[in-house]
Amino acid sequence: MKARILDRADALKIVDLLRQQGYEVIAPFRGRGRDTFFETVTDQNRDQVQLHLPNPYYPPKRYVFPHIERLLTVKRDNGDIRIQPSYEEPKRAIFGIRSCDVAGIYHLDRFYLGRDFKDIYYENHRKNLFLVNFVCSDPANDIGDECFCVCADTGPAARDHFDLQLMDLGDEFMAVAGTRAGEALFTNPIFKKATEAHVAKRHAILDQVRKAFKTTTSWFSATVRYVSQGEILDKTWEEIGNRCLECGGCTYVCPACTCFTVSDRQVGPNEIERVRMWDSCGLGGFTRMAGGFNPRRAVHDRRNRRFFRKLAHYFIQRELSMACVGCGRCAAVCHGDIGMPSVVEMIRRATAEVEKRESVSH
Amino acid sequence: MNPLATESVRPRETARREQAENIYLPRIAVLDRVVQEIQDVKTFYWHFDDPGEQRAFKRFLPGQFAEVSLFGVGEFPTSLPPSPTEEETFFTVRHVGSCTSALHQLRPGDKFAVRGPYGNGFPMEDYHGKNLVFVAGGIGLIPLRSAIVYALANRKQYERIQIFHGAKTPKELMYVPNLREWEQTPGVECHLTVDRSADSWSGNVGVVGSLFKKPGVQVPVENTVAFVCGPPIMFRFVIKDLLGMGFQERNIVSTLERYMKCGVGKCGHCCIGVAYVCVDGPVFTYEQIKKLGEDI
Ligand SMILES: Cc1cc2nc3c(=O)[nH]c(=O)nc-3n(C[C@H](O)[C@H](O)[C@H](O)COP(=O)(O)OP(=O)(O)OC[C@H]3O[C@@H](n4cnc5c(N)ncnc54)[C@H](O)[C@@H]3O)c2cc1C
Ligand code: SF4
Ligand code: FES
């Protein structure tokens, strides 16, 4: 991969360059306090774009998989039906997307575009998407108490799946091209040659950053094994379920959750549209069938489902990517403290305890 | 490795048939005629507006399903009771909720929309040279009808064929003209039963499993595949009976019904255990169903 150096003050010129090329550029902004959000860059807000800030809770996933999206419009005319699919093919760039969220989008790619069926709506949003990854290097601003990308092996510096990667080296930024499209930007004079010293500095900073992660850890490997081999006691799932308030927040903020529901709505006298919207396996109606039979009645069954789906080895292999990227959002928003890291810990402790007892008694 | 893939039910080539571009785009269908099967259950004969669509769709396999669109109401999954060897395409649907009641209100000539076929289907070719035992409770005969008609159309490929169908009352027996035909077909053993009899009923009274013990009935266990579809309670009892006779779990197949939205493995609604029922199923062996670990 090719690397270049640019002046710190020139970083936002990349936003300008992309806008000149016709991209709608999305970037992170700061509201009040912890509140941060992704928003379209305009001439007015361009100078308020920030790179060092807590990662927004509302993930950039919505730029490839909108919260609510129209699939079809259907018009009725004298007994005739005309079905018109709605295709949106935006030319978008996300500037300052974190490494965990880059992995999140990669996971969505594997899920929606892989296997037997390809999701054309997702593909349309994805095909012109340009990702400018920003490496988390400022522990005070970039790394939250709940971040654990190091355990998910997705950060702090993404290894691939971005077009361009920026990293703060102090007075200068290092830019790494991940694709041809990213490399094409290097013809602009703001990019200068990188030296060995720059590369050494990058490594030194990353070494420091890795040590600066807070208390949250997630020992996936043992848990993936326990989950995949069905070694988890019902009691453990129940304990997890008892703490779930069924708000659906974890799925809402998750950059790697994929579920949706579909609904028709009337938009005119003879016109309806079919939309899909995010859905949550944590909510009661998710699996309910006609007649009221619900195979996942108890709340712990639903918790079980979310974590099983994310942690079972079979699914990780099926997508060649895990449905948790270590962003820590669910841990931050969960009222019952059953975000991914806590659940991994609860499973690991309870199951390790059982294993220990069994090996003693053998 | 899919922990479920080691057994006999594999997704088939046709199920993976590259769907034209947009997997969520249904195609216009026209309703031809409606036949009342039993109370609340009707059979809807239909065809695609576009003959090309009709030809492509006709490559479905027994056990697959389709998504039916009633615009403004929604979309719902429904089995394909016809065999691909038959001329007509139709659904048999029970009126239970909003979509199904919208379908029930359609009249011949009305338009709706369909997409599919989806799911793995019964691997009928893998069963060549075997005995086939079909056990259907109530509307469980809907998904099995396709496999039965297919097997009869390819009669030489299979050994013995037995059909067991039970309903609550004689009035609730499904596909009566077909049942009569199968009863008359040489080389097919068709046994019917009802839970409660009416005066006019001269046949067996009792649950489906009671047919297995009827004098003159001998269910082959070796080299046999048993297809079991029906309400959960019937399913549990029949499984117990079959296992008691010595059937292996992997030689019992069924179809799972789960809440489905997309039918193509994306919406997540049908996901149980390690399976997305809509793409990995709906046909599973009993061995697989046990591993999926949820209620039937
Ligand atoms: C693979 C498969 C094959 C099926 N085959 C048949 C068949 O041949 N004949 C038949 O009468 N019924 C069949 N069903 C059940 C049928 O899909 C439901 O009865 C139907 O979806 C109910 O929809 P509704 O809008 O009338 O009910 P509502 O209760 O109003 O349902 C609302 C939504 O729930 C979903 N839903 C509700 N119940 C079910 C269910 N049991 N399974 C899946 N989704 C559900 C639908 O997507 C629907 O949009 C099948 C289901 C599956 C999964
Ligand atoms: S499960 Fe939690 S930590 Fe993992 S990607 Fe989703 S929101 Fe982030
Ligand atoms: S029905 Fe949508 S994933 Fe199976």
Side-chain angles (χ1 to χ4, degrees):
Chain A
M1 278 190 261
K2 290 215 168 115
R4 293 284 186 277
I5 289 297
L6 68 156
D7 281 345
R8 186 182 192 87
D10 285 344
L12 278 188
K13 289 195 180 145
I14 297 172
V15 172
D16 303 335
L17 274 175
L18 290 168
R19 290 184 70 205
Q20 280 154 23
Q21 290 179 15
Y23 283 99
E24 174 194 355
V25 179
I26 312 294
F29 292 90
R30 211 186 255 278
R32 288 179 186 198
R34 164 67 176 82
D35 183 30
T36 59
F37 51 90
F38 287 101
E39 187 66 85
T40 302
V41 179
T42 63
D43 294 343
Q44 285 73 41
N45 67 13
R46 185 259 188 208
D47 294 335
Q48 274 100 56
V49 171
Q50 288 200 22
L51 284 169
H52 287 297
L53 77 182
N55 200 12
Y57 286 139
Y58 194 17
K61 175 172 84 177
R62 67 181 183 280
Y63 297 110
V64 281
F65 175 38
H67 197 157
I68 300 181
E69 174 171 35
R70 184 168 64 215
L71 301 177
L72 318 164
T73 308
V74 182
K75 289 201 177 87
R76 275 211 195 85
D77 181 21
N78 266 333
D80 243 358
I81 301 179
R82 264 177 304 129
I83 309 174
Q84 190 61 48
S86 355
Y87 298 127
E88 242 189 84
E89 297 168 57
K91 186 175 177 188
R92 270 203 196 108
I94 306 179
F95 179 81
I97 184 172
R98 300 299 173 85
S99 301
C100 52
D101 289 340
V102 170
I105 289 187
Y106 177 68
H107 180 77
L108 302 182
D109 289 350
R110 302 290 314 178
F111 182 79
Y112 289 116
L113 305 178
R115 298 181 61 82
D116 302 351
F117 296 104
K118 193 175 70 184
D119 190 308
I120 192 172
Y121 296 90
Y122 179 87
E123 190 183 39
N124 283 344
H125 286 288
R126 181 67 177 98
K127 64 185 175 198
N128 300 319
L129 186 73
F130 188 95
L131 295 177
V132 184
N133 170 222
F134 186 63
V135 176
C136 297
S137 60
D138 172 3
N141 273 302
D142 305 344
I143 301 170
D145 290 346
E146 292 86 9
C147 289
F148 61 100
C149 60
V150 177
C151 304
D153 198 24
T154 57
R159 278 188 295 266
D160 43 18
H161 313 311
F162 51 79
D163 294 283
L164 193 72
Q165 181 179 66
L166 295 180
M167 182 171 158
D168 190 344
L169 300 183
D171 296 335
E172 295 163 317
F173 274 23
M174 176 178 272
V176 177
T179 59
R180 255 167 224 269
E183 205 179 314
L185 288 178
F186 288 167
T187 54
N188 192 281
I190 60 169
F191 295 100
K192 286 163 282 193
K193 260 199 131 72
T195 63
E196 288 294 321
H198 287 120
V199 177
K201 193 159 183 194
R202 173 186 167 103
H203 290 312
I205 294 175
L206 282 177
D207 278 347
Q208 284 306 311
V209 173
R210 279 198 195 92
K211 289 185 203 125
F213 274 78
K214 317 271 157 85
T215 47
T216 304
T217 51
S218 191
W219 302 101
F220 280 121
S221 52
T223 312
V224 166
R225 181 162 58 85
Y226 296 147
V227 169
S228 311
Q229 293 172 356
E231 286 177 27
I232 297 162
L233 302 175
D234 282 349
K235 192 166 76 68
T236 310
W237 288 127
E238 255 168 66
E239 275 168 30
I240 296 167
N242 286 343
R243 285 158 60 168
C244 177
L245 301 179
E246 297 197 66
C247 68
C250 52
T251 44
Y252 187 88
V253 296
C254 184
C257 270
T258 50
C259 294
F260 60 85
T261 187
V262 182
S263 174
D264 284 5
R265 61 185 184 197
Q266 196 89 27
V267 288
N270 284 309
E271 192 173 332
I272 69 114
E273 59 182 31
R274 176 163 291 170
V275 294
R276 72 164 160 199
M277 54 209 131
W278 293 0
D279 201 354
S280 170
C281 59
L283 302 178
F286 193 72
T287 56
R288 187 164 45 229
M289 300 197 289
F293 172 64
N294 191 339
R296 260 179 255 154
R297 268 163 310 223
V299 55
H300 65 262
D301 267 5
R302 294 197 288 278
R303 293 297 71 202
N304 168 337
R305 176 97 298 270
R306 172 171 156 88
F307 295 107
F308 185 86
R309 174 65 184 82
K310 286 189 183 290
L311 293 171
H313 187 247
Y314 165 63
F315 285 118
I316 299 171
Q317 280 231 314
R318 171 172 172 149
E319 268 94 44
L320 291 177
S321 129
M322 188 161 79
C324 173
V325 296
C327 71
R329 287 182 174 97
C330 55
V333 303
C334 183
H335 299 284
D337 189 18
I338 43 163
M340 182 60 85
S342 304
V343 166
V344 164
E345 185 60 19
M346 285 168 82
I347 291 176
R348 204 173 60 88
R349 281 219 187 130
T351 317
E353 193 61 31
V354 174
E355 280 205 336
K356 201 158 57 186
R357 254 185 278 131
E358 277 178 358
S359 62
V360 171
S361 60
H362 277 176
Chain B
M1 234 333 247
N2 180 343
L4 297 177
T6 46
E7 297 92 22
S8 64
V9 182
R10 290 181 273 110
R12 309 293 296 194
E13 246 0 272
T14 38
R16 288 163 182 268
R17 168 168 76 84
E18 179 76 65
Q19 276 281 310
E21 285 290 286
N22 187 343
I23 51 178
Y24 305 112
L25 183 66
R27 312 296 152 117
I28 309 276
V30 184
L31 187 62
D32 296 321
R33 63 196 164 91
V34 182
V35 174
Q36 182 92 37
E37 289 291 341
I38 59 175
Q39 195 187 347
D40 290 338
V41 179
K42 289 179 182 169
T43 294
F44 301 86
Y45 292 82
W46 58 275
H47 66 272
F48 278 106
D49 219 7
D50 173 357
E53 287 295 337
Q54 183 77 6
R55 273 193 302 277
F57 187 87
K58 282 295 295 284
R59 287 196 297 242
F60 68 86
L61 293 167
Q64 285 194 293
F65 67 96
E67 288 279 345
V68 180
S69 273
L70 285 309
F71 292 114
V73 187
E75 216 174 13
F76 74 97
T78 198
S79 313
L80 292 166
S83 158
T85 53
E86 287 176 291
E87 215 26 67
E88 288 183 295
T89 39
F90 55 90
F91 303 128
T92 303
V93 174
R94 180 158 62 171
H95 174 174
V96 289
S98 44
C99 295
T100 46
S101 75
L103 180 67
H104 273 246
Q105 278 158 22
L106 295 189
R107 299 219 192 89
D110 284 350
K111 291 187 173 173
F112 58 108
V114 177
R115 61 191 174 92
Y118 296 128
N120 56 354
F122 295 108
M124 297 304 289
E125 284 172 21
D126 294 357
Y127 302 156
H128 283 176
K130 290 184 190 283
N131 305 306
L132 308 181
V133 172
F134 297 94
V135 190
I139 60 170
L141 190 56
I142 300 173
L144 291 190
R145 185 193 178 283
S146 179
I148 294 170
V149 176
Y150 180 91
L152 296 180
N154 296 278
R155 186 65 190 88
K156 287 203 194 75
Q157 301 294 350
Y158 304 99
E159 296 295 315
R160 287 174 67 184
I161 294 182
Q162 285 183 331
I163 300 164
F164 299 96
H165 176 47
K168 283 199 200 105
T169 66
K171 271 207 200 120
E172 282 162 88
L173 289 165
M174 293 288 297
Y175 301 122
V176 174
N178 290 127
L179 294 175
R180 296 286 162 254
E181 182 194 324
W182 298 335
E183 281 180 325
Q184 306 301 317
T185 308
V188 178
E189 303 158 57
C190 181
H191 304 280
L192 308 178
T193 184
V194 296
D195 293 350
R196 273 173 280 121
S197 101
D199 295 342
S200 58
W201 179 253
S202 56
N204 193 71
V205 177
V207 295
V208 186
S210 68
L211 291 172
F212 303 149
K213 293 171 216 103
K214 231 177 70 171
V217 174
Q218 184 263 328
V219 181
V221 174
E222 288 309 313
N223 192 35
T224 304
V225 182
F227 299 64
V228 185
C229 284
I233 175 115
M234 165 268 178
F235 184 83
R236 280 194 286 274
F237 278 109
V238 169
I239 293 289
K240 221 168 122 196
D241 291 339
L242 293 177
L243 295 177
M245 285 182 229
F247 267 91
Q248 303 224 304
E249 290 175 350
R250 63 166 184 278
N251 293 331
I252 302 174
V253 290
S254 187
T255 66
L256 284 190
E257 250 190 46
R258 278 296 173 271
Y259 186 108
M260 287 184 181
K261 277 292 173 190
C262 71
V264 286
K266 305 295 183 203
C267 76
H269 282 266
C270 68
C271 186
I272 57 170
V274 294
Y276 276 63
V277 174
C278 65
V279 287
D280 300 320
V283 176
F284 293 99
T285 64
Y286 182 61
E287 190 177 31
Q288 293 173 317
I289 291 173
K290 267 184 34 185
K291 281 193 200 162
L292 292 174
E294 280 192 50
D295 296 359
I296 297 304

